[in-house]
Amino acid sequence: HASAPAFSRALRLLLAYKDREGHVEVPVRHVEQGFALGQWLCEKRSVYRRSTLDADCQAQLESAGVVWDPRARALASAFNRAFKLLLDYKAREGHVEVPQKHVEQGFALGRWLCEKRSACRRGMLDVDHRADLERTGVVWDLQLRSSAPAFSRALDLLLAYERREGHVQVPVGHIEQGFTLGAWLKQQRYKRRRGILDVHRQAQLDRMGVLWDPRRLPFTCALKLLLAYKDREGHSMVPQTHVEQGFGLGSWLYKQRHAYRRGTLDVDRQAQLERTEVALDLRKSAFNRVQKLLLAYKDREGHVNVPWKHKEQGFNLGRWLYRQRCTYRRGSLDGDLQAQLEGVGVYLAFKKLGVECSSEDAIG
């Protein structure tokens, strides 16, 4: 290995640094005996993140105590310090309901706990940290301290939501009459996944039609949401990030199109989607629109030699046609698309038009 001597020298310098400083968290700009040790270690971490670091080198660095993600360790260390202060508070006070402005040994413990609750509501709290905090008795939704009455109140609000909206797929951020109903429902799902949700409460939520994994909504239910979207918006071109009644309708539709392209979409489901005017092949759908513009141009002008800068109904038709000709010249134009373009009279070969692909003058 050509770099083995260089690596061995750098490792010796790293160990010398460790013997002197007691750690291997070398500053990026640190130079050890004329060698840019900090930069070298930074490069090794970068290679590790790309999964291209030699296994023996990785083992030797880890043996020296190198941490590949210093930020993650710093965050974990900060959590552990705050968590210890929370345990000290609990041992002294008998609970973990820390006032928001409380400072414990110089640390803003109340504000820290408030931030953890906020992260939990947004679904961004580390699962291990959440488990640690729950074991100390931390309640995430302070409105649910008194369990039974609070559950009944939350259920009443969920019923009120259902009567108004016609479903119980509450968005996570939804607040009902001042109560964080969406976050509460997410917490019930979390408890069920962990097996700690009371069976009677689960039965009540089941009877209301709560879906425990909204990502796995039955096809028929998802189709109803698609129809509701279409009735409201007038089309079925759902943005990929769109959420309909708490369900990721856009990502679901993307998966149906992906299954269609792979040839794994059930034929009955395909037929149902097509009846709702869903474009399963977006490329074909886009071409159909362009074809209409091209035919409109042809009907008006008597030809399809569209100038480069021409726009048809706001669409850059000339530029689009130019790109198809360039793609044809490279031999990568889809066969069906080529046939359709030639069918309306488009000359794809530039030599027939007397222009070159590198030219961005008028195409005609």
Side-chain angles (χ1 to χ4, degrees):
H1 197 287
S3 63
F7 178 84
S8 297
R9 176 175 177 261
L11 188 63
R12 284 197 299 273
L13 293 174
L14 181 64
L15 292 172
Y17 179 93
K18 182 181 180 181
D19 290 341
R20 184 179 69 250
E21 305 294 336
H23 62 83
V24 288
E25 295 305 319
V26 187
V28 175
R29 296 183 179 179
H30 179 75
V31 176
E32 185 78 10
Q33 299 178 29
F35 176 69
L37 184 63
Q39 187 174 334
W40 175 83
L41 190 56
C42 184
E43 289 169 358
K44 295 303 168 193
R45 286 186 172 119
S46 178
V47 174
Y48 171 82
R49 285 195 296 273
R50 297 196 302 270
S51 301
T52 56
L53 182 62
D54 178 81
D56 292 334
C57 294
Q58 180 179 335
Q60 291 181 71
L61 289 168
E62 288 175 350
S63 178
V66 169
V67 174
W68 299 113
D69 189 348
R71 183 174 176 274
R73 189 172 79 166
L75 289 173
S77 177
F79 177 86
N80 291 337
R81 286 196 300 272
F83 187 66
K84 184 178 181 302
L85 292 174
L86 182 64
L87 292 175
D88 291 343
Y89 180 93
K90 182 180 180 181
R92 184 180 68 249
E93 305 294 337
H95 62 82
V96 288
E97 297 306 324
V98 187
Q100 188 170 345
K101 294 184 179 180
H102 178 75
V103 175
E104 185 79 9
Q105 299 177 32
F107 176 71
L109 185 63
R111 185 180 298 174
W112 175 83
L113 192 55
C114 183
E115 289 169 357
K116 296 304 161 193
R117 286 190 172 108
S118 177
C120 181
R121 284 195 298 272
R122 299 195 308 272
M124 297 174 63
L125 183 61
D126 180 89
V127 289
D128 293 329
H129 292 173
R130 176 169 184 159
D132 288 340
L133 290 167
E134 286 178 350
R135 279 194 293 271
T136 67
V138 169
V139 176
W140 299 113
D141 193 332
L142 297 179
Q143 297 179 55
L144 294 179
R145 280 199 190 100
S146 52
S147 182
F151 183 85
S152 297
R153 175 174 178 259
L155 207 61
D156 289 341
L157 292 173
L158 186 60
L159 286 167
Y161 181 93
E162 182 187 28
R163 283 193 292 269
R164 184 180 70 251
E165 304 294 336
H167 63 88
V168 289
Q169 307 313 316
V170 187
V172 175
H174 179 75
I175 296 174
E176 186 78 10
Q177 298 177 31
F179 175 69
T180 53
L181 185 62
W184 174 83
L185 191 55
K186 183 177 179 180
Q187 187 182 43
Q188 307 314 302
R189 290 185 174 118
Y190 174 76
K191 286 181 177 179
R192 182 180 178 275
R193 283 197 303 273
R194 293 185 58 212
I196 59 174
L197 180 61
D198 179 83
V199 290
H200 299 297
R201 293 184 176 184
Q202 181 176 330
Q204 288 177 282
L205 291 168
D206 282 334
R207 284 194 292 272
M208 291 187 65
V210 168
L211 291 170
W212 297 110
D213 188 351
R215 296 171 300 177
R216 296 184 179 180
L217 192 70
F219 181 86
T220 51
C221 296
L223 196 63
K224 286 180 182 176
L225 292 176
L226 180 61
L227 289 168
Y229 178 93
K230 183 185 175 185
D231 290 342
R232 184 179 69 248
E233 305 294 335
H235 62 83
S236 303
M237 298 300 292
V238 187
Q240 191 170 338
T241 57
H242 179 75
V243 175
E244 185 79 9
Q245 299 179 20
F247 173 66
L249 185 63
S251 61
W252 173 83
L253 193 54
Y254 172 83
K255 289 173 185 174
Q256 307 311 306
R257 289 187 175 114
H258 186 60
Y260 172 79
R261 287 195 301 273
R262 294 199 320 266
T264 58
L265 182 62
D266 179 84
V267 289
D268 292 331
R269 292 186 174 186
Q270 179 179 333
Q272 291 180 73
L273 287 167
E274 287 173 344
R275 279 197 293 272
T276 64
E277 299 179 6
V278 167
L280 291 168
D281 187 337
L282 290 178
R283 186 174 61 176
K284 182 179 178 181
S285 175
F287 175 73
N288 289 340
R289 175 175 175 264
V290 175
Q291 189 179 40
K292 289 178 182 177
L293 295 175
L294 195 57
L295 289 171
Y297 180 92
K298 183 180 181 180
D299 290 342
R300 185 178 67 248
E301 305 294 336
H303 61 85
V304 287
N305 296 325
V306 187
W308 157 257
K309 295 183 179 180
H310 178 75
K311 289 186 179 182
E312 188 74 13
Q313 297 178 28
F315 176 72
N316 289 314
L317 186 61
R319 187 177 298 179
W320 178 87
L321 197 54
Y322 174 82
R323 286 198 298 267
Q324 308 316 306
R325 286 178 172 132
C326 286
T327 305
Y328 170 80
R329 186 178 186 181
R330 293 194 301 270
S332 55
L333 184 64
D334 178 81
D336 292 335
L337 179 55
Q338 179 180 334
Q340 288 175 295
L341 286 170
E342 290 174 342
V344 297
V346 171
Y347 288 112
L348 291 167
F350 279 96
K351 61 184 180 181
K352 292 183 180 180
L353 297 166
V355 296
E356 290 297 325
C357 187
S358 59
S359 170
E360 294 188 356
D361 297 327
I363 303 298

